[in-house]
PDB file of all heavy atoms in Angstrom:
ATOM      1  N   LEU A 160      39.577 -10.427 -22.427  1.00  0.00           N
ATOM      2  CA  LEU A 160      38.297  -9.766 -22.402  1.00  0.00           C
ATOM      3  C   LEU A 160      38.279  -8.625 -21.376  1.00  0.00           C
ATOM      4  O   LEU A 160      37.740  -7.540 -21.624  1.00  0.00           O
ATOM      5  CB  LEU A 160      37.194 -10.760 -22.100  1.00  0.00           C
ATOM      6  CG  LEU A 160      36.916 -11.777 -23.233  1.00  0.00           C
ATOM      7  CD1 LEU A 160      35.977 -12.875 -22.727  1.00  0.00           C
ATOM      8  CD2 LEU A 160      36.346 -11.099 -24.436  1.00  0.00           C
ATOM      9  N   ILE A 161      38.903  -8.845 -20.240  1.00  0.00           N
ATOM     10  CA  ILE A 161      38.987  -7.796 -19.221  1.00  0.00           C
ATOM     11  C   ILE A 161      39.838  -6.644 -19.756  1.00  0.00           C
ATOM     12  O   ILE A 161      39.473  -5.459 -19.605  1.00  0.00           O
ATOM     13  CB  ILE A 161      39.556  -8.338 -17.888  1.00  0.00           C
ATOM     14  CG1 ILE A 161      38.532  -9.289 -17.255  1.00  0.00           C
ATOM     15  CG2 ILE A 161      39.894  -7.206 -16.933  1.00  0.00           C
ATOM     16  CD1 ILE A 161      39.063 -10.083 -16.087  1.00  0.00           C
ATOM     17  N   SER A 162      40.949  -6.960 -20.389  1.00  0.00           N
ATOM     18  CA  SER A 162      41.803  -5.912 -20.952  1.00  0.00           C
ATOM     19  C   SER A 162      41.105  -5.112 -22.031  1.00  0.00           C
ATOM     20  O   SER A 162      41.371  -3.918 -22.195  1.00  0.00           O
ATOM     21  CB  SER A 162      43.080  -6.532 -21.554  1.00  0.00           C
ATOM     22  OG  SER A 162      43.862  -7.134 -20.568  1.00  0.00           O
ATOM     23  N   ASP A 163      40.187  -5.739 -22.746  1.00  0.00           N
ATOM     24  CA  ASP A 163      39.414  -5.050 -23.774  1.00  0.00           C
ATOM     25  C   ASP A 163      38.267  -4.233 -23.208  1.00  0.00           C
ATOM     26  O   ASP A 163      37.521  -3.601 -23.954  1.00  0.00           O
ATOM     27  CB  ASP A 163      38.867  -6.050 -24.812  1.00  0.00           C
ATOM     28  CG  ASP A 163      39.924  -6.563 -25.758  1.00  0.00           C
ATOM     29  OD1 ASP A 163      41.007  -5.965 -25.823  1.00  0.00           O
ATOM     30  OD2 ASP A 163      39.664  -7.576 -26.446  1.00  0.00           O
ATOM     31  N   GLY A 164      38.079  -4.277 -21.881  1.00  0.00           N
ATOM     32  CA  GLY A 164      37.075  -3.449 -21.236  1.00  0.00           C
ATOM     33  C   GLY A 164      35.711  -4.095 -21.100  1.00  0.00           C
ATOM     34  O   GLY A 164      34.729  -3.420 -20.772  1.00  0.00           O
ATOM     35  N   HIS A 165      35.628  -5.422 -21.318  1.00  0.00           N
ATOM     36  CA  HIS A 165      34.342  -6.094 -21.118  1.00  0.00           C
ATOM     37  C   HIS A 165      34.006  -6.184 -19.645  1.00  0.00           C
ATOM     38  O   HIS A 165      34.890  -6.369 -18.804  1.00  0.00           O
ATOM     39  CB  HIS A 165      34.414  -7.525 -21.709  1.00  0.00           C
ATOM     40  CG  HIS A 165      34.508  -7.552 -23.194  1.00  0.00           C
ATOM     41  ND1 HIS A 165      33.409  -7.667 -24.001  1.00  0.00           N
ATOM     42  CD2 HIS A 165      35.576  -7.453 -24.019  1.00  0.00           C
ATOM     43  CE1 HIS A 165      33.792  -7.657 -25.268  1.00  0.00           C
ATOM     44  NE2 HIS A 165      35.121  -7.529 -25.302  1.00  0.00           N
ATOM     45  N   HIS A 166      32.729  -6.032 -19.338  1.00  0.00           N
ATOM     46  CA  HIS A 166      32.275  -6.195 -17.954  1.00  0.00           C
ATOM     47  C   HIS A 166      32.331  -7.677 -17.595  1.00  0.00           C
ATOM     48  O   HIS A 166      32.148  -8.560 -18.447  1.00  0.00           O
ATOM     49  CB  HIS A 166      30.842  -5.679 -17.814  1.00  0.00           C
ATOM     50  CG  HIS A 166      30.758  -4.209 -17.989  1.00  0.00           C
ATOM     51  ND1 HIS A 166      31.194  -3.304 -17.077  1.00  0.00           N
ATOM     52  CD2 HIS A 166      30.278  -3.489 -19.030  1.00  0.00           C
ATOM     53  CE1 HIS A 166      30.994  -2.079 -17.508  1.00  0.00           C
ATOM     54  NE2 HIS A 166      30.437  -2.138 -18.719  1.00  0.00           N
ATOM     55  N   LEU A 167      32.552  -7.971 -16.318  1.00  0.00           N
ATOM     56  CA  LEU A 167      32.558  -9.348 -15.860  1.00  0.00           C
ATOM     57  C   LEU A 167      31.199  -9.995 -16.142  1.00  0.00           C
ATOM     58  O   LEU A 167      30.163  -9.328 -16.042  1.00  0.00           O
ATOM     59  CB  LEU A 167      32.900  -9.411 -14.378  1.00  0.00           C
ATOM     60  CG  LEU A 167      34.311  -8.985 -14.012  1.00  0.00           C
ATOM     61  CD1 LEU A 167      34.486  -8.987 -12.484  1.00  0.00           C
ATOM     62  CD2 LEU A 167      35.337  -9.891 -14.656  1.00  0.00           C
ATOM     63  N   PRO A 168      31.218 -11.263 -16.450  1.00  0.00           N
ATOM     64  CA  PRO A 168      29.951 -11.939 -16.770  1.00  0.00           C
ATOM     65  C   PRO A 168      29.019 -12.001 -15.557  1.00  0.00           C
ATOM     66  O   PRO A 168      29.459 -12.064 -14.416  1.00  0.00           O
ATOM     67  CB  PRO A 168      30.386 -13.338 -17.205  1.00  0.00           C
ATOM     68  CG  PRO A 168      31.729 -13.520 -16.638  1.00  0.00           C
ATOM     69  CD  PRO A 168      32.345 -12.183 -16.541  1.00  0.00           C
ATOM     70  N   ALA A 169      27.730 -12.016 -15.874  1.00  0.00           N
ATOM     71  CA  ALA A 169      26.694 -12.100 -14.825  1.00  0.00           C
ATOM     72  C   ALA A 169      25.565 -12.988 -15.339  1.00  0.00           C
ATOM     73  O   ALA A 169      25.565 -13.387 -16.517  1.00  0.00           O
ATOM     74  CB  ALA A 169      26.184 -10.706 -14.475  1.00  0.00           C
ATOM     75  N   GLY A 170      24.637 -13.286 -14.478  1.00  0.00           N
ATOM     76  CA  GLY A 170      23.459 -14.040 -14.887  1.00  0.00           C
ATOM     77  C   GLY A 170      23.772 -15.423 -15.381  1.00  0.00           C
ATOM     78  O   GLY A 170      24.599 -16.134 -14.826  1.00  0.00           O
ATOM     79  N   ARG A 171      23.116 -15.794 -16.482  1.00  0.00           N
ATOM     80  CA  ARG A 171      23.272 -17.139 -17.037  1.00  0.00           C
ATOM     81  C   ARG A 171      24.671 -17.395 -17.514  1.00  0.00           C
ATOM     82  O   ARG A 171      25.191 -18.522 -17.399  1.00  0.00           O
ATOM     83  CB  ARG A 171      22.270 -17.403 -18.161  1.00  0.00           C
ATOM     84  CG  ARG A 171      20.878 -17.685 -17.653  1.00  0.00           C
ATOM     85  CD  ARG A 171      19.985 -18.207 -18.737  1.00  0.00           C
ATOM     86  NE  ARG A 171      19.725 -17.201 -19.739  1.00  0.00           N
ATOM     87  CZ  ARG A 171      18.520 -16.879 -20.195  1.00  0.00           C
ATOM     88  NH1 ARG A 171      17.478 -17.517 -19.755  1.00  0.00           N
ATOM     89  NH2 ARG A 171      18.385 -15.962 -21.108  1.00  0.00           N
ATOM     90  N   VAL A 172      25.349 -16.364 -18.051  1.00  0.00           N
ATOM     91  CA  VAL A 172      26.724 -16.568 -18.527  1.00  0.00           C
ATOM     92  C   VAL A 172      27.614 -16.950 -17.345  1.00  0.00           C
ATOM     93  O   VAL A 172      28.414 -17.892 -17.443  1.00  0.00           O
ATOM     94  CB  VAL A 172      27.246 -15.331 -19.260  1.00  0.00           C
ATOM     95  CG1 VAL A 172      28.720 -15.478 -19.614  1.00  0.00           C
ATOM     96  CG2 VAL A 172      26.409 -15.063 -20.518  1.00  0.00           C
ATOM     97  N   ALA A 173      27.484 -16.250 -16.241  1.00  0.00           N
ATOM     98  CA  ALA A 173      28.270 -16.576 -15.038  1.00  0.00           C
ATOM     99  C   ALA A 173      27.954 -17.958 -14.529  1.00  0.00           C
ATOM    100  O   ALA A 173      28.851 -18.715 -14.130  1.00  0.00           O
ATOM    101  CB  ALA A 173      28.035 -15.531 -13.956  1.00  0.00           C
ATOM    102  N   ALA A 174      26.661 -18.331 -14.538  1.00  0.00           N
ATOM    103  CA  ALA A 174      26.263 -19.670 -14.098  1.00  0.00           C
ATOM    104  C   ALA A 174      26.826 -20.746 -15.020  1.00  0.00           C
ATOM    105  O   ALA A 174      27.283 -21.800 -14.551  1.00  0.00           O
ATOM    106  CB  ALA A 174      24.757 -19.759 -14.040  1.00  0.00           C
ATOM    107  N   LEU A 175      26.846 -20.471 -16.311  1.00  0.00           N
ATOM    108  CA  LEU A 175      27.436 -21.423 -17.276  1.00  0.00           C
ATOM    109  C   LEU A 175      28.918 -21.589 -17.033  1.00  0.00           C
ATOM    110  O   LEU A 175      29.441 -22.705 -17.060  1.00  0.00           O
ATOM    111  CB  LEU A 175      27.193 -20.962 -18.700  1.00  0.00           C
ATOM    112  CG  LEU A 175      25.835 -21.201 -19.289  1.00  0.00           C
ATOM    113  CD1 LEU A 175      25.642 -20.408 -20.568  1.00  0.00           C
ATOM    114  CD2 LEU A 175      25.627 -22.684 -19.533  1.00  0.00           C
ATOM    115  N   ILE A 176      29.606 -20.487 -16.779  1.00  0.00           N
ATOM    116  CA  ILE A 176      31.053 -20.570 -16.502  1.00  0.00           C
ATOM    117  C   ILE A 176      31.293 -21.449 -15.293  1.00  0.00           C
ATOM    118  O   ILE A 176      32.157 -22.333 -15.315  1.00  0.00           O
ATOM    119  CB  ILE A 176      31.632 -19.156 -16.302  1.00  0.00           C
ATOM    120  CG1 ILE A 176      31.617 -18.387 -17.625  1.00  0.00           C
ATOM    121  CG2 ILE A 176      33.044 -19.220 -15.706  1.00  0.00           C
ATOM    122  CD1 ILE A 176      31.929 -16.905 -17.498  1.00  0.00           C
ATOM    123  N   ASP A 177      30.543 -21.209 -14.215  1.00  0.00           N
ATOM    124  CA  ASP A 177      30.707 -22.051 -13.011  1.00  0.00           C
ATOM    125  C   ASP A 177      30.436 -23.522 -13.308  1.00  0.00           C
ATOM    126  O   ASP A 177      31.215 -24.382 -12.886  1.00  0.00           O
ATOM    127  CB  ASP A 177      29.747 -21.565 -11.915  1.00  0.00           C
ATOM    128  CG  ASP A 177      30.137 -20.232 -11.311  1.00  0.00           C
ATOM    129  OD1 ASP A 177      31.321 -19.846 -11.441  1.00  0.00           O
ATOM    130  OD2 ASP A 177      29.268 -19.587 -10.701  1.00  0.00           O
ATOM    131  N   ALA A 178      29.366 -23.812 -14.031  1.00  0.00           N
ATOM    132  CA  ALA A 178      29.028 -25.197 -14.336  1.00  0.00           C
ATOM    133  C   ALA A 178      30.089 -25.849 -15.224  1.00  0.00           C
ATOM    134  O   ALA A 178      30.471 -26.997 -14.986  1.00  0.00           O
ATOM    135  CB  ALA A 178      27.658 -25.264 -15.022  1.00  0.00           C
ATOM    136  N   LEU A 179      30.559 -25.130 -16.215  1.00  0.00           N
ATOM    137  CA  LEU A 179      31.593 -25.681 -17.109  1.00  0.00           C
ATOM    138  C   LEU A 179      32.911 -25.927 -16.377  1.00  0.00           C
ATOM    139  O   LEU A 179      33.579 -26.942 -16.579  1.00  0.00           O
ATOM    140  CB  LEU A 179      31.820 -24.766 -18.311  1.00  0.00           C
ATOM    141  CG  LEU A 179      30.667 -24.693 -19.311  1.00  0.00           C
ATOM    142  CD1 LEU A 179      30.874 -23.528 -20.282  1.00  0.00           C
ATOM    143  CD2 LEU A 179      30.503 -26.027 -20.031  1.00  0.00           C
ATOM    144  N   GLU A 180      33.282 -24.990 -15.494  1.00  0.00           N
ATOM    145  CA  GLU A 180      34.516 -25.171 -14.724  1.00  0.00           C
ATOM    146  C   GLU A 180      34.405 -26.328 -13.743  1.00  0.00           C
ATOM    147  O   GLU A 180      35.341 -27.077 -13.569  1.00  0.00           O
ATOM    148  CB  GLU A 180      34.886 -23.857 -14.019  1.00  0.00           C
ATOM    149  CG  GLU A 180      35.407 -22.804 -14.988  1.00  0.00           C
ATOM    150  CD  GLU A 180      35.715 -21.483 -14.353  1.00  0.00           C
ATOM    151  OE1 GLU A 180      35.196 -21.197 -13.247  1.00  0.00           O
ATOM    152  OE2 GLU A 180      36.467 -20.716 -14.964  1.00  0.00           O
ATOM    153  N   GLN A 181      33.235 -26.503 -13.111  1.00  0.00           N
ATOM    154  CA  GLN A 181      33.043 -27.619 -12.197  1.00  0.00           C
ATOM    155  C   GLN A 181      33.095 -28.954 -12.956  1.00  0.00           C
ATOM    156  O   GLN A 181      33.701 -29.913 -12.469  1.00  0.00           O
ATOM    157  CB  GLN A 181      31.703 -27.491 -11.461  1.00  0.00           C
ATOM    158  CG  GLN A 181      31.713 -26.417 -10.408  1.00  0.00           C
ATOM    159  CD  GLN A 181      30.351 -26.241  -9.752  1.00  0.00           C
ATOM    160  OE1 GLN A 181      29.466 -27.071  -9.908  1.00  0.00           O
ATOM    161  NE2 GLN A 181      30.194 -25.170  -9.019  1.00  0.00           N
ATOM    162  N   ALA A 182      32.488 -28.994 -14.115  1.00  0.00           N
ATOM    163  CA  ALA A 182      32.520 -30.208 -14.931  1.00  0.00           C
ATOM    164  C   ALA A 182      33.927 -30.525 -15.355  1.00  0.00           C
ATOM    165  O   ALA A 182      34.342 -31.709 -15.317  1.00  0.00           O
ATOM    166  CB  ALA A 182      31.616 -30.046 -16.148  1.00  0.00           C
ATOM    167  N   ASP A 183      34.692 -29.509 -15.731  1.00  0.00           N
ATOM    168  CA  ASP A 183      36.073 -29.734 -16.143  1.00  0.00           C
ATOM    169  C   ASP A 183      36.892 -30.291 -14.984  1.00  0.00           C
ATOM    170  O   ASP A 183      37.704 -31.203 -15.155  1.00  0.00           O
ATOM    171  CB  ASP A 183      36.681 -28.438 -16.662  1.00  0.00           C
ATOM    172  CG  ASP A 183      38.112 -28.636 -17.151  1.00  0.00           C
ATOM    173  OD1 ASP A 183      38.329 -29.492 -18.031  1.00  0.00           O
ATOM    174  OD2 ASP A 183      39.015 -27.934 -16.655  1.00  0.00           O
ATOM    175  N   GLN A 184      36.694 -29.732 -13.777  1.00  0.00           N
ATOM    176  CA  GLN A 184      37.444 -30.208 -12.604  1.00  0.00           C
ATOM    177  C   GLN A 184      37.062 -31.644 -12.268  1.00  0.00           C
ATOM    178  O   GLN A 184      37.885 -32.423 -11.852  1.00  0.00           O
ATOM    179  CB  GLN A 184      37.198 -29.277 -11.410  1.00  0.00           C
ATOM    180  CG  GLN A 184      37.868 -27.957 -11.577  1.00  0.00           C
ATOM    181  CD  GLN A 184      37.552 -26.999 -10.440  1.00  0.00           C
ATOM    182  OE1 GLN A 184      36.786 -27.325  -9.514  1.00  0.00           O
ATOM    183  NE2 GLN A 184      38.105 -25.812 -10.480  1.00  0.00           N
ATOM    184  N   ALA A 185      35.790 -31.982 -12.432  1.00  0.00           N
ATOM    185  CA  ALA A 185      35.335 -33.340 -12.127  1.00  0.00           C
ATOM    186  C   ALA A 185      35.893 -34.349 -13.115  1.00  0.00           C
ATOM    187  O   ALA A 185      36.257 -35.454 -12.748  1.00  0.00           O
ATOM    188  CB  ALA A 185      33.800 -33.410 -12.156  1.00  0.00           C
ATOM    189  N   LEU A 186      36.021 -33.921 -14.370  1.00  0.00           N
ATOM    190  CA  LEU A 186      36.548 -34.829 -15.404  1.00  0.00           C
ATOM    191  C   LEU A 186      38.055 -34.849 -15.448  1.00  0.00           C
ATOM    192  O   LEU A 186      38.648 -35.819 -15.912  1.00  0.00           O
ATOM    193  CB  LEU A 186      36.001 -34.416 -16.791  1.00  0.00           C
ATOM    194  CG  LEU A 186      34.501 -34.564 -16.967  1.00  0.00           C
ATOM    195  CD1 LEU A 186      34.060 -33.944 -18.287  1.00  0.00           C
ATOM    196  CD2 LEU A 186      34.097 -36.048 -16.919  1.00  0.00           C
ATOM    197  N   ASN A 187      38.684 -33.781 -14.957  1.00  0.00           N
ATOM    198  CA  ASN A 187      40.151 -33.652 -14.998  1.00  0.00           C
ATOM    199  C   ASN A 187      40.662 -33.205 -13.645  1.00  0.00           C
ATOM    200  O   ASN A 187      41.096 -32.076 -13.468  1.00  0.00           O
ATOM    201  CB  ASN A 187      40.561 -32.646 -16.074  1.00  0.00           C
ATOM    202  CG  ASN A 187      40.047 -33.005 -17.426  1.00  0.00           C
ATOM    203  OD1 ASN A 187      40.399 -34.035 -17.947  1.00  0.00           O
ATOM    204  ND2 ASN A 187      39.231 -32.156 -17.996  1.00  0.00           N
ATOM    205  N   PRO A 188      40.624 -34.116 -12.657  1.00  0.00           N
ATOM    206  CA  PRO A 188      41.094 -33.705 -11.314  1.00  0.00           C
ATOM    207  C   PRO A 188      42.577 -33.316 -11.347  1.00  0.00           C
ATOM    208  O   PRO A 188      43.344 -33.800 -12.183  1.00  0.00           O
ATOM    209  CB  PRO A 188      40.880 -34.944 -10.462  1.00  0.00           C
ATOM    210  CG  PRO A 188      40.711 -36.058 -11.398  1.00  0.00           C
ATOM    211  CD  PRO A 188      40.269 -35.482 -12.719  1.00  0.00           C
TER     212      PRO A 188
END
């Protein structure tokens, strides 16, 4: 996505990414 020129996520999308990554780390240490 970065290579295709997309801007970095912000707002709710960024918050969702953080939440999903934290959940993944908690479930898969």
Side-chain angles (χ1 to χ4, degrees):
L160 291 170
I161 291 170
S162 295
D163 285 344
H165 291 266
H166 294 286
L167 293 175
R171 283 192 293 230
V172 173
L175 281 167
I176 291 169
D177 289 340
L179 291 168
E180 288 177 339
Q181 287 177 12
D183 183 56
Q184 289 176 359
L186 295 172
N187 303 298

